[in-house]
Amino acid sequence: MDGKKTVFSAIKPTGTPTIGNYLGALRGWQTMQDEYRCIYSVADLHSTTIYIAPAELRKNTLELLSLLLAVGIDPEKSVLFVQSHVPAHAELTWLLNCNTQFGEARRMTQFKDKSAKHPDNVNVGLFDYPVLMAADILLYQADCVPVGKDQMQHLELARTIAERFNNKYSPTFVVPEGIMPATGAKICSLSDPSAKMSKSDDNENGYILMTDDADTIRRKFKRAVTDSGSEIRAGADKPGITNLLTIYAAFCGITLGKAEADCAGMGYAEFKMRVADAVIAGLAPVQKRFAEYMNNKDYLESVMRNGAETAARMAVRTLEKVYRKMGFVRLQHNRG
């Protein structure tokens, strides 16, 4: 063993990631590859808690895989795979369901929030997906999980399930710790700086997608909400300008203070175009690589196949251990 800690993280293929996803998570995934043993997944099973057209799911899965490669996830350094290609995720979820209390799952605030948002589709998968998330993490004996505030409750559930199983059946799972993403800039909506940037925003001008072209990016920044006054500075009283400065600083690789200095004396219109240009320049190489990967389906197939084979070998070791400890009769050559 190389002594590195194992990190697991996953992202759902429910649409193109925003620059908020990129700066807050995906760019951090890339930087962690040398320090940690990284396992990254396209979480297609998780995406089906809401209805998604089959053709759209297939398209989103390949696009997200291509984007992960484009931002620098290296299949030679990290395990990169599609979740549904490793059946152990679904199998372990059932076993963990039987070691999870109904009240624990019922307390998950995201279930309440999403049920309210989609009252016509409150399915069992939506209720149970935190247990699937626990299975994702525990299968790979992950030491660390990059997690934002909105997922901290789910990580705590995974820890609770792991500790309960370890106490009941003997030590089996590593109890994972949460870590802040390496590049954790919080990016807010361009149309409402009090809210997180999200691709599910009803106002398409509130978010920048990683695949938006230059004209679209400029148009959206032109319409970005600013604040009263004319000074370009960060502060609680200037959430719109602070958000734009944060985006500019993140794409330029500079501090917020340096961003303020760079843009001092500009009018708001000129400032917004300066931010737009920084985003366009920062996304250009990613978008170029993304297009190349999307045009190389054979390579994507090989990445998926190799990733699934590596992930499955790791996952099955844990899954078989769980089956045996729970008392299931296993065939001698159950897993070929």
Side-chain angles (χ1 to χ4, degrees):
M1 298 294 286
D2 54 15
K4 292 181 179 179
K5 289 187 174 182
T6 297
V7 161
F8 178 88
S9 200
I11 182 169
K12 294 186 292 186
T14 50
T16 306
T18 68
I19 60 170
N21 302 126
Y22 174 54
L23 298 175
L26 300 183
R27 197 162 68 168
W29 285 19
Q30 188 270 330
T31 60
M32 284 190 288
Q33 291 181 113
D34 292 324
E35 184 179 351
Y36 296 95
R37 185 183 308 107
C38 295
I39 302 166
Y40 296 132
S41 179
V42 176
D44 55 343
L45 294 176
H46 281 290
S47 70
T48 55
T49 59
I50 59 172
Y51 175 73
I52 182 167
E56 185 180 356
L57 178 57
R58 283 189 285 270
K59 172 176 171 287
N60 288 352
T61 299
L62 292 175
E63 287 186 351
L64 184 54
L65 182 73
S66 296
L67 267 177
L68 292 177
L69 292 166
V71 302
I73 304 305
D74 183 350
E76 299 299 318
K77 291 182 177 179
S78 302
V79 180
L80 177 61
F81 71 102
V82 176
Q83 184 187 28
S84 65
H85 294 170
V86 182
H89 287 256
E91 289 185 64
L92 184 61
T93 298
W94 175 256
L95 301 177
L96 296 186
N97 276 337
C98 299
N99 287 278
T100 304
Q101 296 303 300
F102 183 80
E104 292 169 338
R106 188 172 54 188
R107 284 195 291 272
M108 298 294 106
T109 56
Q110 280 209 18
F111 171 70
K112 298 171 187 175
D113 294 343
K114 292 185 179 183
S115 297
K117 194 171 182 179
H118 301 282
D120 57 333
N121 186 23
V122 184
N123 56 72
V124 176
L126 183 63
F127 181 78
D128 193 43
Y129 91 92
V131 184
L132 174 58
M133 186 180 294
D136 297 337
I137 297 164
L138 299 180
L139 270 174
Y140 300 98
Q141 305 293 352
D143 299 288
C144 308
V145 181
V147 64
K149 287 183 180 178
D150 58 338
Q151 295 292 346
M152 188 60 75
Q153 192 183 32
H154 293 158
L155 179 61
E156 285 303 318
L157 179 64
R159 288 171 52 82
T160 297
I161 294 169
E163 288 169 347
R164 176 179 295 126
F165 194 96
N166 289 348
N167 291 333
K168 187 187 294 185
Y169 294 106
S170 77
T172 306
F173 297 118
V174 170
V175 179
E177 299 286 341
I179 56 172
M180 291 302 294
T183 51
K186 183 188 176 186
I187 306 302
C188 297
S189 167
L190 299 183
S191 58
D192 178 9
S194 67
K196 183 178 175 181
M197 183 179 284
S198 171
K199 58 179 176 281
S200 61
D201 193 328
D202 292 334
N203 184 350
E204 68 170 16
N205 293 311
Y207 55 82
I208 304 291
L209 298 177
M210 290 182 66
T211 54
D212 278 348
D213 61 33
D215 288 343
T216 300
I217 292 172
R218 288 194 183 94
R219 173 176 54 80
K220 289 181 177 181
F221 273 108
K222 188 174 183 180
R223 297 176 181 176
V225 169
T226 52
D227 311 293
S228 59
S230 59
E231 191 179 3
I232 296 174
R233 62 170 175 79
D237 61 328
K238 296 181 81 71
I241 295 299
T242 300
N243 187 43
L244 294 174
L245 280 168
T246 300
I247 294 169
Y248 178 76
F251 272 98
C252 293
I254 59 178
T255 65
L256 208 54
K258 178 68 166 62
E260 288 177 323
D262 280 1
C263 303
M266 290 182 181
Y268 279 178
E270 181 186 0
F271 168 55
K272 288 195 281 189
M273 288 305 95
R274 172 71 71 92
V275 180
D277 288 343
V279 172
I280 291 165
L283 289 180
V286 174
Q287 292 178 345
K288 181 176 183 292
R289 290 192 295 269
F290 168 73
E292 290 168 354
Y293 288 124
M294 283 299 293
N295 287 323
N296 192 343
K297 294 298 193 292
D298 287 344
Y299 178 69
L300 293 181
E301 174 78 19
S302 71
V303 169
M304 288 189 291
R305 188 174 302 282
N306 293 338
E309 288 173 357
T310 302
R313 283 195 299 272
M314 300 170 72
V316 163
R317 285 199 294 269
T318 298
L319 182 64
E320 284 300 313
K321 195 182 296 184
V322 171
Y323 273 131
R324 288 195 304 273
K325 290 194 177 189
M326 289 182 68
F328 288 89
V329 176
R330 309 304 289 157
L331 295 173
Q332 189 170 354
H333 300 293
N334 197 67
R335 304 276 178 176

